[in-house]
Amino acid sequence: QVKELVLDNCRSDDGKIIGLSSDFENLEFLSMINIHLLSVSNLPKLNKLRKLELSDNRISGGLEVLAERTPNLTHLNLSGNKIKDINTLEPLKKLPNLHSLDLFNCEVTMLINYRESVFTLLPQLTYLDGFDADDQEAPDSDPEADGEGLEDEYENGEDDLDEEVIDDEEDEDDDLEGEEEEDGVDDEEEDEEEDGEEDEEDEADDDLPRGEKRKRNLEDEGEEDAEEEEDDEDD
């Protein structure tokens, strides 16, 4: 019941795939990247296979086997192989469902009018090396799997945090200003109370008759002189 099989970086035996047989009849995805594969001649019959990854191997031809063994193939990646001529790709015409082909880092991509020639040779293709005939890029299969959704959430989260920090700082500034204003009011009230007490004493002195007022002043001076004499005696 295996539907996906990845054999990347495994060692093939003299360019042959050991253990891979037609018993994997339900296989839909097969990846054999960088296993020193020389050809696909030993590929078993895999009627349900749709995606085949063969990049970074040493395949130079013999692609007619794919039409015989994997007739329902839709995606084929031959990047980094030894394919040099457009004619080497001609057997892929027998794969009617093939709509995506990758040939990155193959010598064939250096040929003049390479893209036009391949699209002409394989009219069933939609994408060659990730772009269609009008140079429109193939859409991503799953944006969330690439982490784009998480980045947006993270950025939004940072914006929310920044707004909260700004709000907190504004609240603290308001509190400090309020405290300063209250302190200022309290100080003014204390000054007014002290001034009021002094004014009341002055008014009380003004209400006394001149003789009693003079007597009171003399008594105050006498008390001050007595205090000074006591200080002198102590010295």
Side-chain angles (χ1 to χ4, degrees):
Q1 298 299 319
V2 177
K3 292 186 177 181
E4 296 186 4
L5 182 60
V6 178
L7 301 174
D8 298 350
N9 302 311
C10 293
R11 286 283 181 178
S12 61
D13 185 9
D14 195 23
K16 298 178 181 180
I17 310 158
I18 304 296
L20 184 62
S21 66
S22 56
D23 292 338
F24 293 89
E25 58 183 11
N26 293 312
L27 206 59
E28 295 179 4
F29 174 82
L30 175 60
S31 182
M32 297 186 293
I33 298 173
N34 189 31
I35 66 170
H36 301 282
L37 199 62
L38 300 176
S39 72
V40 291
S41 60
N42 292 305
L43 198 66
K45 183 77 170 179
L46 300 170
N47 287 326
K48 294 184 179 180
L49 192 69
R50 297 190 177 281
K51 295 184 179 181
L52 180 59
E53 292 278 347
L54 296 172
S55 59
D56 298 328
N57 284 293
R58 301 173 183 176
I59 300 169
S60 59
L63 299 182
E64 60 275 357
V65 175
L66 294 177
E68 298 172 7
R69 313 282 174 83
T70 59
N72 292 305
L73 206 61
T74 61
H75 293 71
L76 176 60
N77 190 344
L78 290 169
S79 302
N81 279 280
K82 305 296 183 180
I83 298 172
K84 301 179 180 180
D85 302 319
I86 295 291
N87 293 335
T88 306
L89 303 172
E90 189 169 358
L92 299 181
K93 294 169 62 175
K94 297 180 180 180
L95 291 170
N97 298 317
L98 185 67
H99 68 262
S100 179
L101 175 64
D102 289 312
L103 296 168
F104 291 111
N105 297 323
C106 290
E107 290 185 37
V108 68
T109 61
M110 305 299 292
L111 297 176
I112 298 174
N113 299 325
Y114 151 71
R115 289 180 58 79
E116 293 81 354
S117 299
V118 174
F119 277 117
T120 300
L121 179 66
L122 306 173
Q124 77 273 33
L125 275 187
T126 302
Y127 298 106
L128 175 62
D129 300 331
F131 290 85
D132 64 14
D134 297 323
D135 290 332
Q136 296 296 314
E137 189 173 6
D140 293 332
S141 57
D142 188 359
E144 292 183 1
D146 296 335
E148 294 179 2
L150 294 176
E151 289 177 2
D152 293 340
E153 289 179 5
Y154 181 71
E155 290 175 359
N156 292 336
E158 282 187 340
D159 294 339
D160 295 340
L161 288 174
D162 292 341
E163 291 177 359
E164 290 177 2
V165 170
I166 292 171
D167 292 340
D168 291 341
E169 290 176 353
E170 291 178 351
D171 293 340
E172 289 177 2
D173 293 340
D174 293 340
D175 293 339
L176 290 173
E177 290 177 359
E179 290 176 1
E180 291 175 357
E181 290 177 358
E182 290 178 0
D183 292 341
V185 171
D186 292 341
D187 293 339
E188 290 178 0
E189 290 178 353
E190 290 177 1
D191 294 339
E192 290 177 358
E193 290 177 359
E194 291 176 358
D195 293 340
E197 290 175 358
E198 291 176 359
D199 293 340
E200 289 177 359
E201 290 178 359
D202 293 339
E203 290 176 359
D205 291 341
D206 292 339
D207 293 339
L208 293 173
R210 289 184 177 180
E212 292 182 4
K213 181 177 181 182
R214 179 180 177 78
K215 182 178 179 181
R216 180 172 174 178
N217 291 335
L218 291 173
E219 289 175 353
D220 293 340
E221 290 176 0
E223 290 176 358
E224 292 176 357
D225 293 338
E227 290 176 357
E228 291 177 357
E229 288 176 1
E230 289 177 1
D231 294 338
D232 293 337
E233 290 175 359
D234 293 337
D235 295 340

